[in-house]
Amino acid sequence: MTHVSVTVDDGHLAALDGVVQGLRARGMQVDQVLDALGIITGSAPDGALGALTTVAGVASVDEQLVHRLPPPGAPVQ
Amino acid sequence: MDDPRRPAVPEAGLPGGGALTTGRRVVVFGDAPGGDQQVDWARAGVRDVADSRDFTDGDVPPETLRGAGATVFAALGIAVVAADDGQLRALAAASSRPVLSVSPELVHQALDPEPGYVLGYRDGVADLTGRLLAPGGPATEPAARFADTPEATWGIQAVRADVSPYSGRGVRIAVLDTGMDLAHPDFAGRTVTARSFVAGEDAQDGHGHGTHCIGTACGPRTPAGGPRYGVAPEADIFAGKVLGNGGSGTDAGILAGINWAVTSGCPVISMSLGADVMTVHPPYSAAGRRALQQGSLIVAAAGNNADRRSGDPGFVGTPANSVEILAVGAVDQALEMAYFSARSLPGRGGQVDVAGPGWEVFSAWPLPDRYRTISGTSMATPHVAGLAALWAEATGRRGLELWATLCQESERLLLASVDAGSGLGVAPGEAVPATRGAA
């Protein structure tokens, strides 16, 4: 499974539910629907990422990045 | 009556370098409280008034400008007037519109390089080559311009928060980081809304980074245990925990935090986080754009992946490399680039937009330490976020207008724009006109 962020295009911001259904139908486990941003996060089987991009209203599917701070004692943060 | 914010300009073309003036005055009107925008020119004895509204497309021909007693530019609320001081006083007294300023009309010229400029340039180049070729090279360390005092940290002084009449009162600042030490005595009595987007952790800061950043953006005016270190001491604090106590987090939590901040009506979102990834990450571009549309400005750290001591300028990583997110670089007490501060990427989006104090920054830290001094573009970012709150309070501007104001008002530095953007962010001073832009 890969954690992904799905960015919805401007034309589907008012119809996020339909996009969510399409993503679920193609194997995505949806964790959050961020309605103010038009972004849907969750996870999907490694082979299913290409299929997610074919859902109507999807602008991009991106693997989630990990952001890491230095340890608290580091002089440069 | 002359504009007190500007030094007096010598009248009518004095020799010896004074600016050339025409003898006419430029009068700036404010908005009349009752909406009656009429100016009683006759009462002041000014005749032949030309109004731009009487000309096609508001385009006043130059011969009219030359001959008229007054030329009114209605769309600008400005008039050029041939009148003496007594007439101008009568005008101010008789007018329903307040007169904001009266200044001599200057003669402007195309900027040809003068011989003096060219000679100065030649001397400068000669001096520079002399110093570069001298034994030992250009090595002299620049003298520190700012230092921490018992009253305020060097960063608070550098961004002029200590002399600004604004405090961020009523403006919500979201800091998306490792949370906040909710028991820190410096924040007792403050409006704090804390929320965790990290599974299995509450909003309490188990790292320190988040408390430090919140301190810089929103710390109190007079902390009991040291100098002032907070830019916007009366802002409302929205502490979103998107990085765990171990210091790491994923896009899901960060995007959820942005969504929360936007729907909570925070005009400023501070994100001292990033990944050393050159490619623009589409979710942050969409989030930044949609946040701006809803009146929230995302301010993010340019990144610490440079090592300028060994000639590596680094690059702006994600999310700060999204064109829709304001990227902040770090300067030191001499207003020179901090060695770790990342440089703009070529191409669209990856640029540093503005710089803030990010070297040896004193701020809050979770108890029992209470305070700590650390460095990073992470520390520069909340300085700029706090400044954004001050400008939001002072001007009412939001979103892209607020972004433009920060950059427009920043102090230009003798640094490369790829490193420092438009310069050092600074606080609004006394004389901010109360213009309110569209949301």
Side-chain angles (χ1 to χ4, degrees):
Chain A
M1 296 288 273
T2 305
H3 291 278
V4 293
S5 302
V6 177
T7 305
V8 176
D9 66 31
D10 288 350
H12 288 76
L13 292 179
L16 288 178
D17 287 349
V19 181
V20 168
Q21 284 171 19
L23 293 169
R24 286 196 172 122
R26 285 164 182 75
M28 178 170 167
Q29 183 191 316
V30 173
D31 294 335
Q32 317 179 93
V33 180
L34 305 173
D35 52 351
L37 306 180
I39 293 174
I40 299 160
T41 66
S43 52
D46 296 348
L49 298 189
L52 297 181
T53 62
T54 66
V55 173
V58 170
S60 75
V61 177
D62 298 280
E63 197 173 329
Q64 286 190 24
L65 301 175
V66 174
H67 302 258
R68 201 178 304 279
L69 295 175
V76 174
Q77 301 263 349
Chain B
M1 191 54 74
D2 276 49
D3 189 336
R5 290 167 288 174
R6 300 195 177 282
V9 176
E11 294 284 328
L14 296 173
L20 284 171
T21 60
T22 63
R24 290 183 298 204
R25 310 299 181 89
V26 181
V27 180
V28 180
F29 295 98
D31 290 328
D36 174 17
Q37 308 296 357
Q38 292 304 309
V39 174
D40 192 346
W41 296 101
R43 287 271 295 276
V46 177
R47 274 168 262 287
D48 297 324
V49 177
D51 193 312
S52 62
R53 284 169 292 194
D54 300 335
F55 298 90
T56 312
D57 299 330
D59 193 359
V60 184
E63 53 272 20
T64 305
L65 269 177
R66 213 166 26 240
T71 307
V72 181
F73 301 100
L76 305 177
I78 292 175
V80 179
V81 187
D84 60 30
D85 289 344
Q87 286 175 298
L88 289 167
R89 275 193 294 274
L91 184 67
S95 173
S96 66
R97 296 188 72 174
V99 172
L100 297 182
S101 71
V102 178
S103 319
E105 185 190 24
L106 303 181
V107 178
H108 297 265
Q109 287 160 331
L111 297 172
D112 293 325
E114 302 167 41
Y117 171 80
V118 175
L119 291 174
Y121 181 75
R122 185 199 64 188
D123 294 347
V125 170
D127 177 61
L128 183 63
T129 46
R131 279 193 288 159
L132 287 173
L133 296 175
T140 49
E141 283 274 308
R145 279 177 60 173
F146 295 99
D148 289 355
T149 66
E151 288 74 39
T153 62
W154 78 264
I156 290 296
Q157 300 166 57
V159 302
R160 303 181 209 151
D162 55 335
V163 292
S164 174
Y166 299 99
S167 62
R169 179 193 288 264
V171 179
R172 297 176 168 187
I173 303 183
V175 180
L176 306 182
D177 210 287
T178 59
M180 176 179 180
D181 180 6
L182 299 167
H184 200 291
D186 285 9
F187 296 90
R190 292 287 293 278
T191 306
V192 179
T193 307
R195 175 103 180 252
S196 175
F197 300 92
V198 177
E201 295 186 20
D202 62 17
Q204 180 65 25
D205 184 6
H207 182 286
H209 191 269
T211 301
H212 200 275
C213 290
I214 289 171
T216 299
C218 314
R221 197 185 301 274
T222 48
R228 173 174 170 184
Y229 53 82
V231 174
E234 292 187 280
D236 294 338
I237 300 167
F238 279 67
K241 187 176 197 170
V242 301
L243 304 174
N245 293 332
S248 67
T250 64
D251 286 343
I254 295 162
L255 292 166
I258 296 172
N259 195 78
W260 169 70
V262 170
T263 54
S264 301
C266 298
V268 186
I269 302 174
S270 185
M271 302 203 310
S272 292
L273 53 84
D276 288 337
V277 175
M278 281 194 191
T279 336
V280 172
H281 201 45
Y284 288 112
S285 293
R289 182 164 56 88
R290 290 168 182 163
L292 284 172
Q293 286 166 350
Q294 292 166 79
S296 297
L297 170 63
I298 304 179
V299 180
N304 303 330
N305 58 32
D307 189 348
R308 294 162 182 273
R309 299 168 302 188
S310 59
D312 175 6
F315 62 90
V316 177
T318 187
N321 64 5
S322 281
V323 73
E324 300 85 354
I325 291 180
L326 188 135
V328 183
V331 292
D332 64 15
Q333 295 94 327
L335 303 184
E336 300 285 348
M337 293 312 299
Y339 74 85
F340 48 75
S341 188
R343 175 170 288 178
S344 298
L345 281 164
R348 183 169 183 260
Q351 64 269 59
V352 177
D353 294 296
V354 70
W359 177 250
E360 294 177 343
V361 175
F362 174 92
S363 183
W365 198 262
L367 302 176
D369 298 60
R370 196 162 169 178
Y371 302 110
R372 190 171 287 195
T373 299
I374 49 178
S375 303
T377 53
S378 282
M379 283 67 246
T381 301
H383 275 105
V384 171
L387 293 171
L390 301 189
W391 283 107
E393 177 195 9
T395 65
R397 292 175 193 153
R398 298 291 185 269
L400 211 45
E401 278 197 330
L402 184 56
W403 177 324
T405 301
L406 267 175
C407 291
Q408 184 182 44
E409 299 280 357
S410 65
E411 179 186 331
R412 270 51 177 176
L413 301 174
L414 205 56
L415 295 172
S417 67
V418 287
D419 292 327
S422 54
L424 178 70
V426 291
E430 294 285 351
V432 177
T435 50
R436 290 199 166 257

